[in-house]
Amino acid sequence: MPKKHYLNDFKMQEDGKYAYEGEQFAFAGSESERKTANAKLLTLLCILIASVFGAGFLTGGGMKNSFYVILPYILEAAALFFTAWYIVKLVSKGDTLREYDYNKTVKRLPNSLPVIAFFAAAGLITSLIFSISTGFKEATAQSVIYLILKVLDVFLALVMRNVFTRLEWIKL
């Protein structure tokens, strides 16, 4: 299957302009329900971004000198980037999504949010392993804050998945 097969869904009209004739999906609820869900998703996303990148500024718990603590953080930040892209794209498209947008957002979000939770949990566990292996010598306030932020990341990612999976889309 060609990479951009959705281009076949655009047909030239008599006036020379292209019109989309492919499948479309619509949000099943009311416009106010969609706006409320979008506001929840964007608010949770902003808090998650602040939490993930806030943890990156902390140097406790092995974040400054231990690759096995830093690696889950980097992977979590990368997963967050893609998830944020999907959410912003979904929110900006409105009530109706073309099939290619639906496939790139609605179908991917339920799987990308647990990836963030997984890497946040991995960061939590590796930071605890680092602290135990060093005899809690670096058990500073920053280490505790880092651990709290990782728990918050897991919680937020799972709450966002719960909010998103309650949204229903129908094929037009």
Side-chain angles (χ1 to χ4, degrees):
M1 180 180 271
K3 187 172 184 176
K4 296 190 178 193
H5 63 73
Y6 64 86
L7 292 176
N8 295 332
D9 293 335
F10 289 90
K11 307 292 181 200
M12 185 177 285
Q13 304 297 309
E14 291 179 12
D15 60 359
K17 295 180 180 178
Y18 284 93
Y20 181 77
E21 295 180 357
E23 294 184 4
Q24 294 188 346
F25 295 83
F27 179 68
S30 68
E31 184 175 346
S32 65
E33 290 174 333
R34 182 186 59 84
K35 287 183 178 183
T36 301
N38 286 347
K40 285 180 187 176
L41 284 172
L42 288 173
T43 301
L44 291 168
L45 177 64
C46 290
I47 296 169
L48 184 60
I49 289 171
S51 176
V52 170
F53 289 107
F57 288 104
L58 301 173
T59 58
M63 279 295 284
K64 65 181 175 183
N65 58 0
S66 179
F67 80 93
Y68 65 88
V69 176
I70 296 170
L71 185 60
Y73 173 77
I74 292 170
L75 295 173
E76 179 188 6
L80 177 61
F81 172 79
F82 288 108
T83 301
W85 178 259
Y86 300 150
I87 290 173
V88 169
K89 192 169 189 169
L90 175 69
V91 169
S92 67
K93 295 296 179 179
D95 281 336
T96 306
L97 296 175
R98 294 177 176 175
E99 181 180 24
Y100 58 90
D101 286 326
Y102 178 83
N103 290 336
K104 290 180 181 179
T105 57
V106 175
K107 287 199 172 184
R108 291 183 181 176
L109 269 171
N111 298 327
S112 66
L113 290 163
V115 171
I116 294 172
F118 172 79
F119 286 123
L124 174 73
I125 292 167
T126 56
S127 183
L128 283 171
I129 290 170
F130 178 83
S131 295
I132 291 168
S133 67
T134 59
F136 295 98
K137 291 178 185 170
E138 289 192 29
T140 62
Q142 286 192 13
S143 296
V144 173
I145 293 170
Y146 179 81
L147 294 175
I148 291 169
L149 289 175
K150 292 297 107 186
V151 171
L152 180 63
D153 294 349
V154 171
F155 175 74
L156 287 172
L158 295 177
V159 167
M160 287 176 71
R161 185 177 192 284
N162 187 24
V163 168
F164 181 75
T165 54
R166 291 176 186 232
L167 304 179
E168 292 185 35
W169 296 84
I170 55 172
K171 191 182 221 183
L172 298 178

